[in-house]
Amino acid sequence: MKKISIIAALIAMLFTACQHQAQNMPINTRAQLIDKLKQACSDSTIMFGHQDDLNYGRTWWLDPGRSDVKEVCGAYPYVAGFELGGIEVGDSKSLDSVPFDTIRVRMREQYKRGGIVEVSWHLHNPSNGGSAWDASNDTVIQDILDPENPVHHKFQMWLNKLSTFLLSVKNDRGELIPMIFRPWHENSGFWFWWGAKYASPDQYKALWNMTKKYLDAKGLHNLVYAYSPNLGVTEENYMAYYPGNDNVDLLGIDIYQASKTDSLGNIIDYGDSAYISETKSYLTMLTKIGQETGKPIAFTETGFETIPQTDWWTNVLWPTIKDYPIAYVLVWRNVSDEHKKHHFFAPFPGQVSAPDFVKFYDMDKGGFIK
Ligand code: BMA
């Protein structure tokens, strides 16, 4: 009797370990990556993602093998986000100060453990050299698209720098590592120079297609293109700016939770009910567009900065997303820079939501990787 229960316990442990570990085989081609995303959408797996998870954490910087998420729940996020802003101007470090050489190494490690690499690109403004958030000149896209304009040539050089880096991210056999590339994101907002306020649908689509055409011509056939507008986008605008079935592989949306504070900065309302209802209505819209276009969908960016709500993972995020056919959910980065003390979105050991994240990890089977 005792023997049988020990065997049963061992089988149960193995089953749980398998569920969490999902598949550990590296994803070798773009087609395999798209299949993986589609499969996750259809089998109700929601992979967990964290921006810059493998580069730094709340209390550490560039240490190999570390991950705040892993240090809380014992496994890495299935999707690791990386940021390439700064590569276009020849910087050796990203705009978040991570050396591109480290990024390449971490991408390879993520690939080797069977995880997914995702890339965002907060590139500078090619018109005036400002940041991605410099929208002081609203003709940037027009200038990029005009072959007679010097900004057009500058932008081609920037694409060249981006492609040189992307072409260097290879596996041990010298093959390009498949990855999700999510350019021109949050374009329904006004904060980036490529936002809808500064670009007509035709201009935005032309910018997207120029980018893709350039990278295709460089031989970057490993990229899975993700289109991710943000909160506020209507279905009509989502589709008006949609670069087309041939140019997009994954549909996303970015939505964050924001709390309400009093005049002293104390939180008086977590803002969770608004977040839950808004997010659900956007995910319903995304599900519909996904079905109509035949594309997989994902919750490409979310989070609650500083996660002050101790049960946020199991009582806000999980009930909000669990019934939607999203391939993954990605929370934003954990800054370790002391000047940005309040900029983190994933738990770390000792953080108030860490115990709840362990419960979330148990609910989100298939979301993580060892
Ligand atoms: C933003 C912030 C910035 C960062 C940028 C790119 O949301 O986190 O501090 O530079 O993303 O990672």
Side-chain angles (χ1 to χ4, degrees):
M1 191 65 188
K2 201 170 170 205
K3 215 171 183 179
I4 290 172
S5 54
I6 290 172
I7 291 170
L10 281 173
I11 291 172
M13 273 166 64
L14 196 67
F15 182 64
T16 310
C18 288
Q19 277 182 315
H20 278 143
Q21 223 161 316
Q23 295 165 0
N24 256 344
M25 292 295 291
I27 296 169
N28 280 311
T29 63
R30 173 178 175 275
Q32 279 176 11
L33 178 48
I34 293 175
D35 279 353
K36 173 77 194 166
L37 295 166
K38 284 189 172 166
Q39 186 202 325
C41 290
S42 61
D43 71 7
S44 78
T45 298
I46 301 180
M47 294 182 277
F48 185 75
H50 183 210
Q51 181 70 7
D52 262 343
D53 184 83
L54 308 172
N55 290 325
Y56 52 85
R58 195 58 187 153
T59 59
W60 54 276
W61 182 250
L62 308 184
D63 302 354
R66 290 191 72 177
S67 150
D68 277 353
V69 165
K70 183 167 187 267
E71 287 171 25
V72 168
C73 72
Y76 291 103
Y78 217 115
V79 179
F82 292 90
E83 168 59 35
L84 296 185
I87 198 81
E88 69 282 358
V89 291
D91 286 348
S92 61
K93 294 176 178 179
S94 75
L95 81 161
D96 300 320
S97 309
V98 185
F100 290 114
D101 286 345
T102 305
I103 291 177
R104 187 185 301 106
V105 172
R106 299 287 172 264
M107 285 175 163
R108 277 167 55 88
E109 288 167 358
Q110 174 70 356
Y111 154 83
K112 279 188 178 175
R113 68 171 69 93
I116 294 177
V117 170
E118 187 267 3
V119 167
S120 55
W121 188 30
H122 291 75
L123 70 163
H124 288 71
N125 176 328
S127 217
N128 61 13
S131 73
W133 294 265
D134 184 335
S136 55
N137 170 359
D138 61 7
T139 62
V140 191
I141 298 189
Q142 195 180 306
D143 295 348
I144 289 177
L145 295 173
D146 174 6
E148 306 289 310
N149 195 304
V151 175
H152 173 86
H153 297 286
K154 190 173 183 182
F155 183 66
Q156 306 293 304
M157 280 159 56
W158 284 13
L159 286 177
N160 189 33
K161 290 237 166 58
L162 172 72
S163 65
T164 302
F165 176 81
L166 292 173
L167 285 165
S168 74
V169 188
K170 293 181 170 168
N171 65 17
D172 292 344
R173 295 189 299 277
E175 301 156 345
L176 292 171
I177 291 174
M179 57 182 77
I180 297 168
F181 180 49
R182 193 171 63 95
W184 314 124
H185 66 302
E186 297 181 4
N187 63 303
S188 4
F190 53 84
W191 43 91
F192 297 132
W193 56 257
W194 56 85
K197 197 172 166 199
Y198 322 106
S200 69
D202 283 347
Q203 285 175 325
Y204 179 80
K205 289 188 271 191
L207 175 70
W208 182 288
N209 294 340
M210 172 195 272
T211 306
K212 182 168 186 298
K213 209 169 153 192
Y214 189 99
L215 300 178
D216 280 351
K218 287 285 176 183
L220 284 158
H221 302 301
N222 57 323
L223 304 181
V224 166
Y225 283 79
Y227 168 62
S228 64
N230 53 283
L231 174 84
V233 69
T234 59
E235 183 175 342
E236 197 188 344
N237 272 337
Y238 197 103
M239 291 317 291
Y241 283 81
Y242 178 56
N245 279 344
D246 293 342
N247 300 310
V248 174
D249 304 298
L250 175 69
L251 305 176
I253 188 127
D254 294 5
I255 304 167
Y256 284 83
Q257 182 171 326
S259 52
K260 288 195 186 114
T261 50
D262 64 15
S263 57
L264 296 172
N266 301 310
I267 294 175
I268 47 171
D269 179 348
Y270 285 132
D272 47 342
S273 52
Y275 172 83
I276 293 171
S277 61
E278 273 177 354
T279 303
K280 282 187 167 189
S281 78
Y282 283 101
L283 292 181
T284 301
M285 176 184 93
L286 199 60
T287 303
K288 178 170 175 271
I289 300 175
Q291 278 158 359
E292 284 165 3
T293 55
K295 302 289 178 186
I297 62 171
F299 196 3
T300 37
E301 271 189 48
T302 192
F304 186 13
E305 199 171 34
T306 75
I307 333 148
Q309 202 171 346
T310 53
D311 60 354
W312 191 74
W313 303 99
T314 61
N315 269 331
V316 180
L317 184 64
W318 186 244
T320 304
I321 62 174
K322 73 179 177 51
D323 295 326
Y324 290 93
I326 53 173
Y328 68 87
V329 57
L330 182 141
V331 298
W332 207 240
R333 64 199 194 105
N334 278 10
V335 173
S336 61
D337 175 351
E338 63 175 50
H339 301 295
K340 286 194 175 170
K341 280 198 190 75
H342 306 297
H343 200 51
F344 62 87
F345 299 84
F348 47 88
Q351 200 275 331
V352 293
S353 76
D356 190 58
F357 189 82
V358 177
K359 292 185 198 156
F360 170 81
Y361 167 75
D362 279 329
M363 291 172 174
D364 190 15
K365 308 283 184 221
F368 299 80
I369 200 148
K370 294 281 179 181

